Amino acid sequence: MLQAVHYIHSRGFSHRDLKPENILLNKDYDIKLVDFGFACPLEGRDGSGTNRSVIGTAGYMAPEILLRQAYQGQVVDLFALGVILFILYSGHPPFGEAKEEDQYYNLIATNRSDLFWKAHSNPNRKPVGFYSDDFKDLITCMLQFHPHQRLCIADIIGHPWLASGTPAPTAEAINTEFARRHNINKQRALAEEERKQAQRATVNNAARRDFQVGGKVYLSHDEQEPENEAGAAQTQVVRLTLKEYTEKAQTHAFFSEFKPDYLLSQLIGKVQENGQEF
């Protein structure tokens, strides 16, 4: 991610909408950044080196954007990276929005990061020691309230959490791990599809007009009863009539006397009459 963002900045642009949804993986599990709809030149629209457009995704926007202040594109990109890193490591966002009104971000903005990490290190949700001191320092420095107090990309790359952490996995190890995860997700998707198919089958077998269920056939009051073949069991016919609407009933459910093809033709005619496309 750092390499990708550094490349964008080195070409003179900032992304301004970095978030997990805009980080994709190709077949070799290499990171690909997408959605450059909010990208802009680092020099700004007016050449001042700053921007003022309030754009992005709220949970990843730096406080200066939310405060509608002038900001530097590369600086807010690195702030968003801090949020993304926290999410990837923790499984949840660090805060709702980078505002002083936010109960979590307020702790960072008011230099009480110890309480911020205490809140996120609840033993009921995270094991003891889940966040290392180096990780806490990195995230705290990347998410500072004042832009000039945040780490630049060189500082992030040289930070102890990255420099002295676990060696980066090999390409083969990454492929193996992601193939394992892909298989798990595939099995979950298949199980979910089977569940939906079983649910649809249950719905399709529910009682409806002209369909026999348990020896009963459900018909409108004006439909003819089906003829029983010689020797066939007698079929019980249930006549479905329009439910009278009353204010006390507190329901909008009803059974129509009209057949589906007639209702559909009436709807299509009304749509065409109004000149609507469908």
Side-chain angles (χ1 to χ4, degrees):
M1 275 298 299
L2 285 172
Q3 290 177 334
V5 172
H6 176 64
Y7 177 79
I8 295 172
H9 292 173
S10 69
R11 305 299 294 179
F13 294 91
S14 62
H15 190 283
R16 296 199 299 177
D17 196 23
L18 293 174
K19 55 185 176 180
E21 294 90 331
N22 288 338
I23 304 172
L24 305 182
L25 300 175
N26 64 11
K27 62 182 180 63
D28 297 319
Y29 304 108
D30 294 320
I31 285 177
K32 299 294 181 181
L33 294 183
V34 299
D35 192 357
F36 286 81
F38 291 156
C40 69
L42 294 180
E43 61 187 14
R45 303 297 184 187
D46 58 0
S48 65
T50 60
N51 290 279
R52 290 185 175 274
S53 303
V54 182
I55 54 177
T57 302
Y60 304 87
M61 293 166 67
E64 56 267 32
I65 301 179
L66 297 171
L67 289 171
R68 300 179 180 275
Q69 298 174 349
Y71 60 87
Q72 293 179 299
Q74 68 271 36
V75 175
V76 298
D77 276 353
L78 295 182
F79 183 93
L81 276 186
V83 177
I84 294 170
L85 176 57
F86 184 96
I87 292 174
L88 292 177
Y89 193 87
S90 307
H92 57 80
F95 43 73
E97 294 183 17
K99 296 180 177 180
E100 292 188 89
E101 296 81 14
D102 186 280
Q103 62 175 332
Y104 288 108
Y105 190 72
N106 177 268
L107 299 175
I108 293 179
T110 56
N111 296 318
R112 293 181 293 164
S113 60
D114 56 328
L115 297 180
F116 171 86
W117 291 108
K118 182 179 181 180
H120 282 297
S121 300
N122 188 322
N124 294 325
R125 295 184 296 176
K126 296 287 189 299
V128 177
F130 182 79
Y131 297 112
S132 68
D133 290 339
D134 284 341
F135 182 81
K136 293 178 183 178
D137 181 73
L138 175 61
I139 295 297
T140 300
C141 292
M142 292 182 71
L143 301 181
Q144 283 295 299
F145 181 80
H146 298 290
H148 66 273
Q149 293 180 341
R150 296 180 204 142
L151 301 180
C152 67
I153 198 162
D155 295 329
I156 296 172
I157 294 173
H159 192 276
W161 189 76
L162 288 174
S164 60
T166 304
T170 63
E172 182 180 358
I174 292 175
N175 286 335
T176 300
E177 174 61 19
F178 273 93
R180 182 186 70 83
R181 297 186 186 188
H182 176 73
N183 186 58
I184 292 175
N185 291 333
K186 183 178 180 180
Q187 294 303 318
R188 288 176 178 172
L190 289 174
E192 178 64 15
E193 181 59 29
E194 290 177 357
R195 185 191 68 80
K196 290 181 179 179
Q197 288 182 358
Q199 188 178 43
R200 285 194 291 267
T202 300
V203 173
N204 290 338
N205 288 331
R208 65 179 187 268
R209 289 184 302 178
D210 303 330
F211 191 83
Q212 186 169 336
V213 179
K216 298 179 181 180
V217 173
Y218 296 81
L219 301 173
S220 297
H221 73 278
D222 59 345
E223 289 184 295
Q224 295 182 355
E225 296 186 13
E227 297 182 0
N228 288 324
E229 297 180 1
Q234 184 66 27
T235 301
Q236 182 180 354
V237 175
V238 178
R239 293 290 180 182
L240 300 175
T241 58
L242 185 66
K243 181 185 293 185
E244 294 295 332
Y245 174 79
T246 62
E247 294 184 359
K248 294 183 179 180
Q250 295 184 345
T251 178
H252 299 291
F254 68 92
F255 181 82
S256 174
E257 294 181 328
F258 301 106
K259 289 184 173 295
D261 55 349
Y262 173 77
L263 291 173
L264 181 60
S265 65
Q266 292 298 306
L267 288 172
I268 292 176
K270 193 65 176 178
V271 170
Q272 291 175 337
E273 179 183 331
N274 294 333
Q276 297 172 313
E277 295 184 359
F278 63 95

